[in-house]
Amino acid sequence: MRRSSAVAALVFVLVVLTVSCGRGEVSPNRWTEMTHEQKTLIVKSMLGAEMVAARKGGTRSTYSSSVEDYVRRIDEAYERGDDRPVEQIWPELAEAG
């Protein structure tokens, strides 16, 4: 299997697992109580969902930063007092496409 196919398969599995587990919204309180590993998994699943949407032609947003950068930026939003769920902050982290 080519590397890109393997990555796409892994992303698909992560998205399916995330959806099937019924993650729901991630509130500020829940985010701040998570371990770094949990935050990383949430961001990876959101990136995976964006990749799937992009392949289907359903998004113009580009997420090209590292997972660590997105985790840091979400942490910073909450440190500034943002009280929205992660899913509402997420679109603002995209680069214009």
Side-chain angles (χ1 to χ4, degrees):
M1 188 181 315
R2 291 185 0 216
R3 180 179 165 96
S4 62
S5 297
V7 170
L10 176 61
V11 167
F12 177 76
V13 168
L14 286 173
V15 170
V16 169
L17 286 174
T18 300
V19 171
S20 66
C21 292
R23 176 175 52 86
E25 286 191 342
V26 180
S27 69
N29 289 338
R30 185 170 170 204
W31 178 266
T32 56
E33 292 172 356
M34 287 181 173
T35 65
H36 183 74
E37 292 77 20
Q38 291 171 320
K39 292 176 182 179
T40 299
L41 182 59
I42 293 292
V43 169
K44 284 181 179 180
S45 69
M46 295 177 87
L47 282 170
E50 293 296 333
M51 289 174 66
V52 169
R55 287 196 181 238
K56 290 182 175 181
T59 183
R60 293 185 183 186
S61 301
T62 303
Y63 292 86
S64 58
S65 297
S66 70
V67 170
E68 294 298 321
D69 185 51
Y70 292 122
V71 169
R72 179 186 54 77
R73 291 167 63 190
I74 295 167
D75 283 339
E76 288 172 352
Y78 289 136
E79 288 170 9
R80 288 190 307 271
D82 198 321
D83 63 352
R84 298 173 296 158
V86 171
E87 294 79 4
Q88 290 179 15
I89 295 171
W90 182 250
E92 296 172 6
L93 303 181
E95 295 80 27

